[in-house]
């Protein structure tokens, strides 16, 4: 009898606790009354990220008495699920570090950039990135970090295979890959797995006159140039010049093999040295070249930009959010982050911070010719999702044209 | 005046007596509900409310950022049934459930028999069987993913050393092989629960029944199929149903090992649902998939109960 009683009490307590948990959750949305405390959700780029933000917030709170920033660090693999939950349960943070912004802007959740940073900060952003953060002509997000993609090649393997220069045309890519294969290496490391196939594909398609949209901004994913690009990548795969099964290989696997000296060529960004190569093999003899293009005339590069979103949450947080963002974009604070994380700057004043290193200079120099994914279109995340799921099958069991038709259908459905 | 007062008081008093009696009877009738109340409430909050919420979400239009834009009628369902991959995914899910559950039950029957036998070190073996259960499923799946890796996997290493293979096989990149390996992992993590339920069942079979069978000259096989197996039916039933539900909803194994890829070639309805929400950015359609998934599990369990004539067990 006594045991039953305890059981009932325990059950009762669980229910009550559960319910108070719920009600507390739903009322804390909208920022609350305390406008000097804000919540900041930051993405984990590497092991240094949290330390940087902890330090910056401590300094900010010391310089601005009474203001408080609650930091939450989220891993990129969980970010999408978390962000969806924040929005659906109306518990959006005040500042969010993310790779998308336009659907927040469309749904009226975020401040225009001009309302949350000073005019000095606003005018300091590089124009290329300002264009990338506009929705319907107004800048909403704040460009946070940038990255560009170039061709990495293994100089030792190239020498062994008797190749003097990195490839400039696609024909050279194929013939070089054949020479590398003859020496027992993987010619080209092609990651078309779900991690980032949209970036790999676009890096090739943009250098064949292809892309995501036509000149009027309408989705043109199944355009002939894109089919042509996929046919080329499929040919590389079917000729055995890539690693086995590109459709399931992610970038980290390809560049682990590259760092071990088993892969001749691969496309990657500025974080490659610190993130992939140095931890495995500091002595790897490699070079960096522009992305090869079909005819070798123009070499475009893929640009990627992550952003900070400032959520309205009822509007009381504006003062604190503005103070914190202006503090972060001060030249020395911002440059410190870039140096620590090996990313390219999105502001003019921090522009010179990385150019002194010849390795980074190549990426900084490539940025002006960069082409970006259409992130200002709110449908882009769904399109990128469709690409991640199915693009890889085009070089395996699928048919390039049909795969692209499927993605085009998804794109048009999402507007 | 006084007279009427007394009379009314008397009338009130006589009226109060039966009311008190009904009150007591009502109170007595309510007592069981007081006792089961908290549990019912718990079930309502933890089980029923999410189901209602799921169905409600499946009828709403939800923008890609996560904002609810209002009712969407049955559009989410028609979008879902328009997905070219849906039929393949559902068929694969049914094969996945049937394969995993059947193999698990067969192996568990043997394992339970072993654990029930008396031999030195039985305690150690019983603990060893529990280990895959105690370990996190995600961890087990990740360990197997690395064991099957194309470049560093121990499976390839061993098979190459034994000259079974001449070059490494990228096991998880080929849908059919990947599916078989994932089914094996699902069996591996399902075994402990199933074999312990069956072991418990074995221990409820009275020794006298076996004695009688022996006296009647029944052989080992006959004893097993005529006595052990029929008497295990309640345990088998429970183990199988819980296993069906678990395997049907299994997400971590497939997500950790292949992410349902390449394409949708190794997706089950559960991973497909996740992809609709987080790759296609369509929470409403994903909720519709969840409702269909829920209905499928219910139908499967009902069919199974019907086929196994569960009422006889209850009686």
């Amino acid at each position: 009898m006594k045991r039953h009683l305890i059981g009932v009490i325990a059950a009762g307590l669980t229910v009550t606790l559960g319910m108070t948990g719920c009600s507390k959750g739903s009322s804390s949305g909208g920022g609350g009354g305390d406008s000097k405390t804000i919540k900041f959700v930051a993405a984990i780029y590497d092991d240094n990220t949290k330390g940087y933000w902890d330090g910056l917030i401590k300094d900010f709170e010391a310089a601005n008495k009474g203001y408080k920033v609650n930091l939450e660090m989220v891993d990129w693999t969980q970010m999408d699920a978390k962000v969806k939950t924040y929005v659906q349960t109306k518990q959006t943070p005040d500042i969010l570090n993310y790779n998308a912004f336009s659907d927040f802007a469309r749904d009226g959740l975020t401040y225009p950039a001009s309302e949350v940073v000073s005019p000095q900060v606003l005018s300091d952003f590089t124009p290329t990135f300002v264009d990338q953060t506009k929705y319907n002509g107004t800048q909403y997000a704040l460009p946070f970090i940038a990255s560009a993609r170039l061709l990495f090649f293994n100089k030792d393997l190239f020498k062994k295979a008797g190749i003097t220069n990195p490839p400039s045309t696609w024909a050279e890519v194929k013939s070089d890959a054949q020479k590398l294969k003859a020496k027992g290496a993987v010619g080209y490391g092609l990651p078309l797995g779900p991690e980032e196939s949209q970036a790999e594909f676009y890096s090739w398609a943009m250098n064949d006159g292809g892309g995501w949209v036509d000149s009027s901004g309408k989705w043109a994913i199944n355009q002939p140039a894109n089919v042509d690009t996929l046919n080329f990548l499929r040919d590389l795969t079917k000729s055995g010049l890539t690693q086995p099964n590109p459709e399931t290989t992610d970038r980290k696997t390809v560049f682990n093999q590259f760092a071990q000296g088993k892969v001749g060529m691969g496309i990657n960004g500025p974080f490659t040295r610190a993130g992939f190569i140095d931890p495995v093999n500091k002595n790897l003899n490699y070079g960096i070249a522009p992305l090869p293009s079909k005819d070798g005339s123009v070499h475009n590069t893929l640009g990627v930009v992550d952003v900070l979103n400032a959520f309205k949450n009822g509007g009381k947080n504006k003062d604190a959010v503005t103070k914190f963002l202006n503090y972060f974009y001060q030249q020395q604070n911002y440059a410190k982050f870039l140096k620590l994380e090996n990313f390219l700057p999105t502001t003019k004043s921090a522009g010179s911070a990385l150019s002194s290193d010849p390795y980074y200079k190549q990426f900084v120099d490539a940025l002006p010719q960069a082409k970006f994914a259409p992130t200002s279109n709110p449908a882009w995340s769904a399109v990128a999702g469709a690409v991640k799921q199915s693009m890889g099958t085009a070089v395996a069991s699928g048919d390039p044209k049909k795969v692209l038709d499927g993605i085009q259908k998804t794109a048009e459905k999402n507007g | 005046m006084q007279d009427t007062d007394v009379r009314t008081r008397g009338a009130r008093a006589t009226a109060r007596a039966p009311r008190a009696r009904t009150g007591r009877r009502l109170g007595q009738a309510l007592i069981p509900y007081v006792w089961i109340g908290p549990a019912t409430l718990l079930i309502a909050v933890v089980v029923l409310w999410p189901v209602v919420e799921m169905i409600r979400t499946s009828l709403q239009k939800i923008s890609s950022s996560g904002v609810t834009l209002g009712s969407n009628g049955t559009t989410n369902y028609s979008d879902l049934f328009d997905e070219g991959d849906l039929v393949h995914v559902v068929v694969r899910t049914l094969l996945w459930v049937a394969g995993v559950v059947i193999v698990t039950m067969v192996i568990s029957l043997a394992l339970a028999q072993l654990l029930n036998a008396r031999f030195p070190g039985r305690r150690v073996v019983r603990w060893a069987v529990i280990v895959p259960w105690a370990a996190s499923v995600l961890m087990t799946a990740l360990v197997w993913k690395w064991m099957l890796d194309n470049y560093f996997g121990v499976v390839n290493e061993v098979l190459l050393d034994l000259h079974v293979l001449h070059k490494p096989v990228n096991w998880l990149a080929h849908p059919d092989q990947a599916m078989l390996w994932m089914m094996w992992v699902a069996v591996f993590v399902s075994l402990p629960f199933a074999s312990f339920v069956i072991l418990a069942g074995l221990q409820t079979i009275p020794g006298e029944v076996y004695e009688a069978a022996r006296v009647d000259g029944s052989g080992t096989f006959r004893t097993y199929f005529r006595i052990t197996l029929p008497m295990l039916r309640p345990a088998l039933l429970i183990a199988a149903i819980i296993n069906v539900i678990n395997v049907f909803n299994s997400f971590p194994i497939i997500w950790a090992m292949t992410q349902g890829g390449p394409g949708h070639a190794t997706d089950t309805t559960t991973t497909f649902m996740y992809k609709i929400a987080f790759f296609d950015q369509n929470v409403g359609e994903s909720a519709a998939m969840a409702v269909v998934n829920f209905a499928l599990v219910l139908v499967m369990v009902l069919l199974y109960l019907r086929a196994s004539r569960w009422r006889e067990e209850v009686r």
Side-chain angles (χ1 to χ4, degrees):
Chain A
M1 185 65 204
K2 206 170 178 187
R3 204 184 298 157
H4 283 295
L5 197 64
I6 292 172
V8 170
I9 293 171
L13 272 179
T14 321
V15 173
T16 356
L17 282 178
M19 289 197 299
T20 44
C22 291
S23 59
K24 197 178 161 211
S26 51
S27 72
S28 73
D34 183 9
S35 56
K36 289 191 166 184
T37 301
I38 56 171
K39 185 176 167 192
F40 173 34
V41 170
I44 300 174
Y45 288 94
D46 64 16
D47 296 343
N48 299 322
T49 321
K50 186 172 188 306
Y52 171 83
W53 287 121
D54 282 339
L56 186 85
I57 288 168
K58 213 175 131 204
D59 294 346
F60 169 76
E61 287 172 350
N64 297 276
K65 281 278 169 281
Y67 288 89
K68 203 169 159 358
V69 180
N70 292 323
L71 176 69
E72 184 181 338
M73 303 294 302
V74 177
D75 194 81
W76 274 114
T77 55
Q78 285 158 30
M79 196 57 133
D80 292 345
K82 279 251 183 184
V83 170
K84 270 218 167 42
T85 315
Y86 292 142
V87 176
Q88 265 194 308
T89 55
K90 300 190 171 57
Q91 301 195 50
T92 42
D94 299 288
I95 304 173
L96 170 69
N97 169 196
Y98 197 40
N99 55 16
F101 71 96
S102 48
D103 41 6
F104 304 137
R106 176 198 61 200
D107 295 341
L109 300 173
T110 49
Y111 288 112
S114 59
E115 290 188 27
V116 283
V117 286
S118 66
Q120 294 93 298
V121 172
L122 199 63
S123 59
D124 193 22
F125 290 122
T126 318
T128 329
F129 301 118
V130 173
D131 291 343
Q132 291 308 311
T133 47
K134 276 183 180 169
Y135 173 70
N136 272 355
T138 308
Q139 184 189 353
Y140 278 87
L142 307 166
F144 178 60
I145 49 114
S147 170
R149 298 288 159 93
L150 293 172
L151 183 78
F152 285 71
F153 62 98
N154 185 317
K155 284 185 177 167
D156 289 343
L157 286 176
F158 267 52
K159 208 171 160 190
K160 220 166 105 187
I163 312 164
T164 45
N165 291 315
S168 165
T169 65
W170 287 8
E172 285 169 22
V173 170
K174 192 177 174 185
S175 63
D176 288 353
Q178 279 162 337
K179 289 178 198 160
L180 289 160
K181 192 196 174 188
K183 296 290 169 193
V186 169
Y188 178 76
L190 177 65
L192 277 183
E195 184 186 59
E196 247 205 347
S197 50
Q198 82 283 12
E200 180 71 23
F201 168 75
Y202 193 33
S203 300
W204 289 96
M206 66 166 65
N207 285 306
D208 189 14
W212 305 111
V213 291
D214 61 19
S215 52
S216 67
K218 284 213 171 65
W219 293 113
I221 297 165
N222 54 357
Q223 58 178 294
N226 288 353
V227 179
D228 184 57
T229 303
L230 272 186
N231 280 329
F232 172 74
L233 296 177
R234 189 181 166 87
D235 176 48
L236 278 188
T237 310
K238 296 292 175 195
S239 316
L241 301 175
T242 65
Q243 85 287 4
N245 307 104
E247 72 278 14
T248 61
T249 319
D250 286 340
R251 188 170 305 281
K252 55 178 184 295
T253 312
V254 165
F255 272 84
N256 181 281
Q257 296 288 307
F258 182 85
Q260 293 184 41
K262 292 179 182 165
V263 173
M265 302 175 266
I267 295 175
N268 214 342
F271 44 85
T272 309
R273 185 174 73 183
F276 293 98
I277 296 177
D278 284 356
V280 178
N281 181 7
K282 269 195 187 326
N283 302 320
L284 189 77
N285 186 15
Y286 61 95
I288 299 170
L291 298 182
S293 67
K294 171 122 189 184
D295 56 10
S297 55
V298 185
H299 299 279
N300 294 306
T301 190
L302 174 73
V304 178
V305 58
D306 285 350
V307 297
L308 294 177
N309 287 293
F311 282 87
K312 289 178 185 164
N313 289 342
K316 286 186 193 147
N317 57 359
K318 200 167 171 179
D319 167 55
V321 166
T322 310
K323 274 206 161 61
F324 183 69
L325 288 175
N326 284 335
Y327 189 77
F328 168 67
Y329 280 109
Q330 285 177 15
Q331 205 250 339
Q332 73 276 18
N333 289 343
Y334 181 54
K336 192 178 159 197
F337 183 81
L338 297 173
K339 251 195 193 129
L340 195 69
E341 302 282 351
N342 301 318
F343 281 113
L344 308 182
T346 58
T347 65
K348 294 171 212 156
S349 63
S352 55
L354 290 170
S355 297
S356 52
D357 185 331
Y359 170 84
Y360 288 113
K361 192 171 182 304
Q362 302 174 79
F363 292 96
V364 176
D365 291 349
L367 266 183
Q369 298 95 47
K371 289 192 171 209
F372 294 82
T375 45
S376 51
N377 187 329
W380 168 246
S381 6
V383 174
V387 173
K388 288 177 187 179
Q389 290 178 79
S390 61
M391 189 63 90
T393 58
V395 300
S397 57
D399 169 65
K401 176 76 166 67
K402 277 193 190 131
V403 170
L404 292 171
D405 283 343
I407 300 169
Q408 172 78 12
K409 204 179 128 202
T410 307
E412 284 170 359
K413 199 173 95 182
N414 282 280
Chain B
M1 188 67 189
Q2 220 177 23
D3 219 42
T4 44
D5 218 81
V6 171
R7 215 178 301 145
T8 42
R9 208 181 295 153
R12 234 183 260 149
T14 43
R16 200 181 290 145
R19 210 184 294 152
R21 221 174 294 141
T22 34
R24 205 178 306 137
R25 217 179 297 145
L26 196 69
Q28 257 159 3
L30 280 177
I31 280 179
Y33 296 101
V34 173
W35 288 110
I36 58 172
T40 317
L41 206 63
L42 195 69
I43 291 174
V45 170
V46 179
V47 180
L48 295 179
W49 182 53
V51 172
V52 171
E53 194 66 19
M54 174 177 79
I55 295 171
R56 210 171 59 93
T57 311
S58 77
L59 298 170
Q60 279 175 336
K61 189 173 175 63
I62 294 169
S63 91
S64 56
S65 71
V67 175
T68 306
L69 301 174
S71 169
N72 204 14
T74 52
T75 314
N76 290 331
Y77 288 91
S78 55
D79 280 355
L80 175 67
F81 295 127
D82 275 349
E83 296 276 351
D85 296 294
L86 182 71
V87 175
H88 300 285
V89 170
V90 169
V91 171
R92 191 175 308 113
T93 309
L94 297 178
L95 289 176
W96 153 265
V97 173
V100 173
V101 172
I102 290 171
V103 175
T104 306
M105 296 319 290
V106 170
I107 300 181
S108 301
L109 275 172
L111 257 181
Q113 211 69 46
L114 173 75
L115 297 180
N116 198 33
R118 285 174 198 281
F119 59 92
R122 181 171 75 164
R123 186 186 291 260
V124 180
V125 176
R126 282 189 179 180
W127 278 107
V129 174
I130 295 190
V131 169
W133 197 6
S136 125
V137 177
L138 185 64
M139 200 179 83
T140 314
L142 282 174
V143 168
W144 277 96
K145 184 194 169 158
W146 283 110
M147 282 166 68
L148 295 166
D149 187 83
N150 188 32
Y151 302 102
F152 317 106
V154 68
V155 171
N156 277 331
E157 202 96 333
V158 169
L159 293 178
L160 286 172
D161 285 350
L162 292 174
H163 298 287
V164 178
L165 296 177
H166 299 293
K167 60 181 202 143
V169 175
N170 201 355
W171 297 104
L172 295 176
H174 306 284
D176 295 340
Q177 293 166 7
M179 218 52 215
L180 288 176
W181 277 112
M182 292 195 294
M183 286 168 94
W184 158 243
V185 176
V187 167
F188 181 75
V189 300
S190 308
L191 280 178
F193 175 73
S195 41
F196 272 81
V197 171
I198 295 173
L199 174 63
L202 279 176
Q203 287 171 346
T204 61
I205 303 177
E208 296 87 39
V209 185
Y210 286 116
E211 230 166 81
R214 209 166 45 239
V215 171
D216 287 347
S218 166
T220 318
F221 267 97
R222 223 168 139 183
T223 313
Y224 187 76
F225 284 103
R226 286 295 174 82
I227 295 178
T228 313
L229 219 43
M231 294 194 85
L232 271 181
R233 259 186 53 188
L236 277 176
L237 204 63
I238 297 293
I241 289 181
I242 294 183
N243 202 349
V244 163
I245 297 172
N246 276 345
V247 172
F248 200 100
N249 289 325
S250 177
F251 178 78
I253 297 174
I254 297 175
W255 197 252
M257 290 175 74
T258 65
Q259 281 202 12
H264 290 293
T266 58
D267 267 324
T268 64
T269 48
T270 311
T271 54
F272 192 56
M273 185 196 318
Y274 184 89
K275 283 184 174 177
I276 296 175
F278 295 112
F279 283 109
D280 298 337
Q281 312 288 329
N282 198 336
V283 174
E285 191 186 324
S286 179
M289 181 74 241
V291 172
V292 171
N293 210 25
F294 184 67
L296 275 174
V297 177
L298 273 187
V299 168
M300 272 174 71
V301 170
L302 287 178
L303 283 179
Y304 178 82
L305 286 177
R306 193 147 177 210
S308 59
R309 291 187 295 253
W310 66 291
R311 275 174 213 285
E312 289 172 22
E313 309 303 339
V314 175
R315 192 185 60 205

